Amino acid sequence: MKKLFIDTLGCQMNKSDTERIVGMLSHFDYIRTQDEYEADLFIVNTCAIRQLSVDKAYSRLGYWGKIKRENKERDIKIAICGCVSNLEKEQLLKKFPYLDLVFGTRNIFELPNLLKQIEDKRICVLDDKPIMENDYKITREKSVNAWLPIMEGCNNFCSYCVVPFTRGRERSRDINSILTEAKNILKEGFKEITLLGQNVDSYGKNLEGKPNFAQLLKALDELEGEFRIRFTSSYPTDITDEVIEVVKNSRHICECFHIPMQSGNDRVLKAMNRRYNVEQYREIVTKIRNNIKDVTITSDFIAGFPSETYEEFLDTIKAIDELGLDYSNTAAYSVRPLTKASKMVDDFIEEDEKKRRLAILNDKVKVAHLKSNEKYIGRTLEVLIDDVKDGVYQGRTRNNKVVHLEDNKEYRIGEFVNVEIKRVTTWCMFGISV
């Protein structure tokens, strides 16, 4: 058996891609190792959403190049995949002379054949093609949750985002292949399925018959068993009344929407090329809250987008309060190549100012998250046990709250437990089973 060392950076989609790579290569005499010094094949699965992630990938390549030079008697191969591959293309082979293979997000299922080709030459393969399917097994990380990609790519071209250039245009998987994979996931004993896509609400637009996301959710909800379904991410104006109704009336679909807002100011949203304003976003959030009890709504925000004034930034802080957002991911604006915002050089904000705004934003998110948790003190919630640390079991509620159990009882990982919430902190809740 040959040894594979793979490092995964970035989003859940990359984690899912890695599971497919590991499973597929197991059919071709590769076994995954955690020891870099015994690896025959190195792969870094990359993220290009921020420069920090790109730098991490390059650092990994440099380290592996050193290992390769020090072990010339072994036939070590080094590969890079993911979003950086689609962004940098053949330039990666010039930057890293010890790199053997560059392959894109749409070329994963060609990997066994590509490994044969790099026996005597270095190659870059970045075809833009529909999502391919095959019968290779998927080696999933041991957990209660399994990733299930339903589509990839994005057609929105937000001015700050590189995803359309790295993942390409939207492409959906056939609904039957998704249902088949979901059934296999449940047979393997997973208790939670997270549907993945850059914009899950656009599911099906490129498929024959144009099945929509609500139809997919309904079909998945009809599967038998005790399990949960989550999904991420949603584009605000693509969330339909039908999707809200399906989630409201479902047995398995969790009461949780991740809806990136990015800014609380209309002018900045327009500069970002987001297809909604603050009032439209508010209407969507209000509609969801009015229809779905105990729903959690989370978001994403960027601090220091080019040309954003401090007063416009404060509109974002105000929006978090006014919308009652439960939690938000945050980041300082990062220049990404090929994007429209990268050309707004005269409007770039100083790094120190971006960091200052990000700190203020993070403080607001902490306050909002604590306030959200406090609503559940004294409530009894269903918790799916997913881990145990130092004898303390923890899990998540349907609406994605982290709960630690303080009753000194033993539970099974993957067990559903009703828990009375006794106290909360900023990041988690504490309770006892009832």
Side-chain angles (χ1 to χ4, degrees):
M1 298 291 290
K2 295 181 180 180
K3 301 294 182 65
L4 163 68
F5 186 95
I6 185 165
D7 197 2
T8 308
L9 306 174
C11 68
Q12 299 99 322
M13 188 71 80
N14 278 13
K15 294 176 183 178
S16 177
D17 287 345
T18 289
E19 291 176 342
R20 282 162 164 73
I21 289 171
V22 174
M24 178 171 48
L25 291 186
S26 70
H27 292 269
F28 297 88
D29 298 328
Y30 280 91
I31 185 171
R32 189 172 188 178
T33 180
Q34 300 301 321
D35 185 348
E36 291 171 288
Y37 283 94
E38 67 177 19
D40 302 292
L41 171 63
F42 291 97
I43 301 177
V44 58
N45 190 354
T46 60
C47 172
I49 204 73
R50 283 184 280 276
Q51 187 59 41
L52 179 62
S53 296
V54 178
D55 293 341
K56 285 181 179 179
Y58 289 170
S59 175
R60 302 307 292 155
L61 291 178
Y63 182 61
W64 296 340
K66 180 181 178 183
I67 293 176
K68 185 175 181 177
R69 288 193 299 271
E70 292 174 350
N71 295 270
K72 293 180 180 180
E73 72 281 1
R74 293 168 51 202
D75 186 24
I76 294 175
K77 301 296 185 184
I78 302 176
I80 184 171
C81 65
C83 292
V84 174
S85 295
N86 289 81
L87 191 64
E88 295 292 336
K89 302 180 174 59
E90 293 87 354
Q91 291 300 315
L92 291 166
L93 295 176
K94 297 178 181 179
K95 285 182 180 179
F96 304 98
Y98 41 80
L99 182 62
D100 299 285
L101 171 63
V102 179
F103 65 103
T105 56
R106 276 91 72 187
N107 304 102
I108 286 175
F109 290 113
E110 299 176 59
L111 184 54
N113 182 52
L114 298 179
L115 292 178
K116 293 179 181 178
Q117 294 181 45
I118 63 172
E119 290 177 359
D120 53 14
K121 62 180 178 179
R122 304 165 70 217
I123 62 173
C124 176
V125 180
L126 300 164
D127 298 331
D128 190 359
K129 58 182 65 178
I131 295 174
M132 297 174 61
E133 304 282 349
N134 62 32
D135 295 328
Y136 294 131
K137 75 174 184 179
I138 300 170
T139 305
R140 301 186 189 277
E141 296 288 338
K142 290 184 178 179
S143 171
V144 299
N145 177 77
W147 312 114
L148 202 174
I150 64 170
M151 64 175 297
E152 70 168 321
C154 184
N155 295 346
N156 291 320
F157 286 90
C158 299
S159 64
Y160 54 83
C161 185
V162 76
V163 167
F165 304 101
T166 59
R167 287 277 177 180
R169 298 299 181 93
E170 293 172 353
R171 301 174 305 285
S172 299
R173 295 177 63 190
D174 176 75
I175 192 168
N176 290 325
S177 70
I178 295 172
L179 290 171
T180 297
E181 186 171 338
K183 292 174 184 177
N184 290 335
I185 287 170
L186 298 177
K187 286 179 182 177
E188 292 174 26
F190 291 92
K191 294 296 183 180
E192 197 169 86
I193 299 172
T194 300
L195 309 179
L196 300 179
Q198 273 73 39
N199 180 15
V200 291
D201 300 278
S202 286
Y203 172 78
K205 290 182 179 179
N206 69 305
L207 297 178
E208 185 177 352
K210 290 187 170 30
N212 62 34
F213 186 52
Q215 291 169 331
L216 174 61
L217 286 177
K218 190 172 182 180
L220 289 165
D221 189 52
E222 291 172 354
L223 297 178
E224 294 298 323
E226 188 179 26
F227 66 95
R228 294 173 175 175
I229 298 171
R230 301 188 186 277
F231 55 86
T232 189
S233 289
S234 296
Y235 193 89
T237 51
D238 290 336
I239 299 173
T240 65
D241 292 348
E242 188 180 4
V243 167
I244 296 172
E245 192 68 17
V246 170
V247 175
K248 175 183 176 181
N249 297 317
S250 69
R251 291 186 301 149
H252 301 295
I253 305 170
C254 293
E255 297 81 9
C256 188
F257 285 74
H258 183 66
I259 317 173
M261 188 183 192
Q262 305 300 0
S263 173
N265 178 269
D266 285 345
R267 189 201 67 80
V268 176
L269 286 172
K270 187 174 182 179
M272 289 177 166
N273 197 34
R274 302 291 283 181
R275 295 181 286 105
Y276 55 86
N277 57 34
V278 173
E279 182 56 33
Q280 288 172 307
Y281 188 96
R282 180 182 290 108
E283 290 173 357
I284 293 161
V285 169
T286 300
K287 184 183 295 184
I288 292 171
R289 292 202 189 281
N290 287 345
N291 280 276
I292 303 174
K293 181 182 178 182
D294 292 334
V295 67
T296 289
I297 298 178
T298 60
S299 192
D300 293 342
F301 289 100
I302 296 172
F305 181 81
S307 80
E308 178 191 66
T309 67
Y310 185 70
E311 288 71 22
E312 290 170 333
F313 165 74
L314 292 179
D315 286 340
T316 292
I317 302 300
K318 182 171 66 174
I320 293 175
D321 279 335
E322 291 181 349
L323 296 166
L325 297 174
D326 296 275
Y327 176 76
S328 299
N329 298 315
T330 64
Y333 170 73
S334 177
V335 180
R336 306 315 304 131
L338 304 180
T339 62
K340 185 176 180 180
S342 69
K343 300 175 176 63
M344 300 170 64
V345 291
D346 292 338
D347 292 316
F348 283 177
I349 295 171
E350 294 291 334
E351 290 298 319
D352 287 346
E353 176 61 15
K354 287 195 294 184
K355 289 179 181 178
R356 185 175 80 91
R357 294 183 193 184
L358 180 60
I360 295 170
L361 182 57
N362 286 337
D363 287 341
K364 173 53 65 176
V365 169
K366 290 178 184 178
V367 172
H369 200 211
L370 177 61
K371 183 177 180 181
S372 173
N373 285 349
E374 288 173 339
K375 295 185 297 185
Y376 296 97
I377 295 176
R379 296 276 305 277
T380 297
L381 306 173
E382 179 192 83
V383 174
L384 173 58
I385 305 297
D386 59 21
D387 199 7
V388 57
K389 294 179 180 178
D390 299 324
V392 178
Y393 287 86
Q394 71 175 45
R396 289 183 183 269
T397 64
R398 286 177 62 96
N399 60 0
N400 211 30
K401 298 290 186 179
V402 176
V403 179
H404 292 191
L405 281 86
E406 297 186 307
D407 48 21
N408 297 317
K409 296 180 182 179
E410 290 190 2
Y411 302 94
R412 290 179 290 103
I413 302 299
E415 181 178 357
F416 292 91
V417 180
N418 289 323
V419 178
E420 182 181 355
I421 305 304
K422 294 294 188 179
R423 63 187 182 91
V424 303
T425 63
T426 299
W427 304 119
C428 62
M429 307 196 291
F430 300 82
I432 59 173
S433 61
V434 294

